[in-house]
């Protein structure tokens, strides 16, 4: 879990983290989402994007969440 960004999920008492990991096969980063109830143990949820790094997450005014990341071009 590299460069995690965290947000509290008040509805469930859990935490969400978005982060990137190195994808050796593609030689680039991929961004992911994980959930935790204690900030020590994390459960992977989903890959958000291929060729993406430095994700951020924030609570939105409507009760949802906004996630953004740096999108890189795929190298052929």
């Amino acid at each position: 879990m590299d460069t995690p960004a965290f947000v509290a999920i008040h509805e469930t008492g859990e935490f969400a983290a978005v982060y990137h990991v190195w994808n050796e096969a593609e030689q680039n980063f991929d961004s992911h989402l994980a959930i935790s109830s204690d900030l020590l143990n994390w459960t992977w949820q989903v890959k958000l994007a291929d060729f993406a790094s430095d994700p951020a997450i924030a609570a939105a005014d409507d009760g949802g969440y906004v996630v953004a990341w740096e999108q890189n071009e795929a190298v052929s």
Side-chain angles (χ1 to χ4, degrees), residues 7 11 58-66:
V7 67
E11 301 83 10
D61 291 339
D62 65 0
Y65 297 88
V66 177

Side-chain angles (χ1 to χ4, degrees), residues 39-75:
L39 294 174
L40 296 174
N41 302 293
W42 292 89
T43 303
W44 178 85
Q45 299 295 302
V46 67
K47 182 194 301 186
L48 298 169
D50 294 321
F51 299 94
S53 61
D54 297 319
I57 187 169
D61 291 339
D62 65 0
Y65 297 88
V66 177
V67 178
W69 55 80
E70 293 182 18
Q71 186 66 51
N72 305 308
E73 290 185 31
V75 179

Side-chain angles (χ1 to χ4, degrees), residues 2-4 6 10-12 15 19-25 31 40 42 44 46 48 53-55 58-59 66 74-75:
D2 293 330
T3 68
F6 305 95
H10 297 291
E11 301 83 10
T12 65
F15 301 91
Y19 58 96
H20 67 238
V21 296
W22 183 250
N23 181 329
E24 188 65 32
S31 290
L40 296 174
W42 292 89
W44 178 85
V46 67
L48 298 169
S53 61
D54 297 319
V66 177
V75 179

